[in-house]
Amino acid sequence: MPPQNQSTSTEKPLLAPNKIGEEVIRVDDKLYNAKVLADIHPGGELFVKVFAGLDATEAFASYHRRKFPHKAMSDACIGNSVEEHPDAYMADYFELCQKVESVLPRHKSFAPTGYFFKVFLIMACAFGLEFYIHLNSLYVWYLTAPLGFFMALIGLNIQHDANHGAVSRNPFINRMLGYSQNWIGGSSLDWIHQHVVLHHIHTNDVHEDPDIRGSSLLRMNPLKPLMSYQTVQHIYVFLLIFLFGIVMVFSSLINILYGTNMTKMSTMVKKDRVVEAVTSVVFMLRWFVCPMLQSPSWTTFWNISPLFIVGGYYLAFFFIISHNFVGVYMFDNTKDRKSTFLYDQVASSSNVGGAW
């Protein structure tokens, strides 16, 4: 790396570490205009905008399975950063990517036709059952419970894959299917910020992973003090996650309104946040206001609660066991570490998965 008082070979200005603008993205040791990259990004502008003001080196590598094409993107480059990204940190990851490429090429890694049949089946069941419930004012637990299950399938399948940009090469299709997260009471933008920007890049980082924040009742981060009652949290956690569904609905709206979820959201998604807030309000109208207007009683309230309990429980259960298990790897990125990006990802995750 050249000394800070000397110009680089590309004669771009140097910026100090962590001092990049709100509409600038760092990739390796280069700084790019986020607006320019967003306009030309094949995967859609949103995935670029959410990283504005941040380092997207690992994010690009993990999504594209290759190094960033700095030469091709030179017109968008606005400077150089003194921040270093050692090649050794990503070396074994790129080696694995090359082996995967021979089995599953990048251009063939999007969803097959059968996946869209599954999408249609899940969405048809969810939309059809909700329409039937509202149309006939049948707010009964034996209908809201299965609807909650279908919403959970949307959360773990459709919105998850779409908001990772993995369903289709067409970003419009991914965005529309990604909005299914809003249909089930969450926020696609809030989800992308929490998982794409933070969690999947900093998995089980005790300072930067929002998925291990836990709460005063549930200790998931080893830096938090251990309370005496948390010694039996492995027992009461199965009762606690009954509340996940309803908490997600309100926390998503709060995060969008304040533009914060552990860290501040990009300033380039302000307009997107307005749309997200509106969809959250629409969900509340569908499942808090409409039922009580059509059938105003406490019985109605208790009968719609399985929607949130079943859906939330299914989602929370798999969320927890994905990165919290005996022997799981957690790390402190503020300390000198000798691990690599690949090791951090593999050692901090389980292989929970399946067709559903």
Side-chain angles (χ1 to χ4, degrees):
M1 182 183 70
Q4 294 187 38
N5 61 349
Q6 294 183 11
S7 63
T8 65
S9 59
T10 56
E11 297 184 354
K12 300 285 187 179
L14 283 169
L15 270 71
N18 303 317
K19 297 292 184 181
I20 63 177
E22 293 182 341
E23 296 184 357
V24 176
I25 289 180
R26 177 192 291 124
V27 182
D28 296 319
D29 62 345
K30 305 295 182 184
L31 300 172
Y32 291 90
N33 184 312
K35 286 186 175 180
V36 176
L37 287 184
D39 289 339
I40 62 177
H41 184 232
E45 62 178 16
L46 183 62
F47 285 101
V48 175
K49 293 195 299 183
V50 295
F51 279 97
L54 301 172
D55 189 316
T57 304
E58 287 84 8
F60 180 88
S62 63
Y63 274 86
H64 297 277
R65 290 155 45 184
R66 61 187 175 89
K67 295 183 178 180
F68 190 84
H70 291 291
K71 183 177 293 187
M73 297 292 108
S74 60
D75 290 342
C77 185
I78 59 174
N80 296 285
S81 171
V82 296
E83 187 89 352
E84 284 189 324
H85 285 275
D87 291 339
Y89 181 64
M90 301 295 294
D92 56 352
Y93 172 74
F94 286 126
E95 181 182 350
L96 175 63
C97 288
Q98 291 179 350
K99 295 179 179 180
V100 172
E101 183 73 13
S102 63
V103 180
L104 182 65
R106 289 191 298 270
H107 67 280
K108 293 184 179 180
S109 60
F110 294 104
T113 303
Y115 180 90
F116 291 96
F117 174 77
K118 183 173 73 171
V119 168
F120 174 79
L121 180 63
I122 295 174
M123 298 291 272
C125 290
F127 290 166
L129 185 53
E130 178 170 345
F131 179 76
Y132 178 79
I133 291 173
H134 289 311
L135 180 65
N136 297 282
S137 300
L138 286 175
Y139 301 106
V140 290
W141 68 268
Y142 53 83
L143 291 182
T144 58
L147 178 57
F149 175 70
F150 288 126
M151 286 187 171
L153 294 183
I154 290 175
L156 277 183
N157 291 266
I158 303 169
Q159 79 81 21
H160 175 275
D161 300 343
N163 283 321
H164 272 304
V167 174
S168 172
R169 186 184 298 274
N170 187 327
F172 179 78
I173 294 177
N174 289 326
R175 193 71 186 108
M176 290 300 101
L177 291 179
Y179 272 125
S180 62
Q181 169 73 352
N182 303 59
W183 182 261
I184 65 175
S187 163
S188 57
L189 180 59
D190 182 48
W191 192 93
I192 289 172
H193 177 79
Q194 178 171 335
H195 294 90
V196 176
V197 177
L198 298 175
H199 168 65
H200 282 292
I201 304 302
H202 308 289
T203 310
N204 280 8
D205 184 322
V206 293
H207 294 291
E208 299 187 65
D209 185 359
D211 278 19
I212 59 173
R213 281 176 295 188
S215 65
S216 58
L217 292 175
L218 193 61
R219 182 178 182 264
M220 301 172 70
N221 191 316
L223 294 185
K224 290 188 174 182
L226 177 63
M227 310 303 291
S228 58
Y229 57 83
Q230 291 172 338
T231 57
V232 292
Q233 69 176 14
H234 61 290
I235 298 175
Y236 67 70
V237 65
F238 295 103
L239 296 176
L240 196 61
I241 59 178
F242 276 116
L243 301 174
F244 177 79
I246 195 69
V247 170
M248 182 195 72
V249 171
F250 288 99
S251 64
S252 295
L253 177 57
I254 293 172
N255 292 341
I256 287 298
L257 291 177
Y258 284 93
T260 302
N261 184 343
M262 191 168 186
T263 63
K264 287 187 176 181
M265 296 180 184
S266 165
T267 57
M268 292 184 68
V269 297
K270 286 183 177 179
K271 293 182 179 179
D272 301 270
R273 284 168 49 201
V274 174
V275 176
E276 299 285 321
V278 170
T279 59
S280 290
V281 173
V282 170
F283 178 86
M284 293 181 182
L285 290 174
R286 283 163 45 211
W287 283 107
F288 297 129
V289 177
C290 185
M292 297 308 292
L293 286 178
Q294 295 196 76
S295 182
S297 72
W298 282 106
T299 303
T300 300
F301 174 79
W302 292 117
N303 272 289
I304 64 173
S305 61
L307 172 75
F308 303 98
I309 293 174
V310 173
Y313 200 97
Y314 188 93
L315 291 169
F317 177 79
F318 286 105
F319 287 164
I320 289 178
I321 64 176
S322 294
H323 305 285
N324 298 274
F325 48 89
V326 176
V328 69
Y329 172 69
M330 291 188 175
F331 63 94
D332 187 339
N333 206 25
T334 63
K335 298 180 179 180
D336 183 31
R337 297 185 297 115
K338 297 182 179 180
S339 61
T340 64
F341 178 73
L342 177 60
Y343 181 86
D344 290 347
Q345 294 292 311
V346 174
S348 62
S349 308
S350 70
N351 60 351
V352 176
W356 293 88

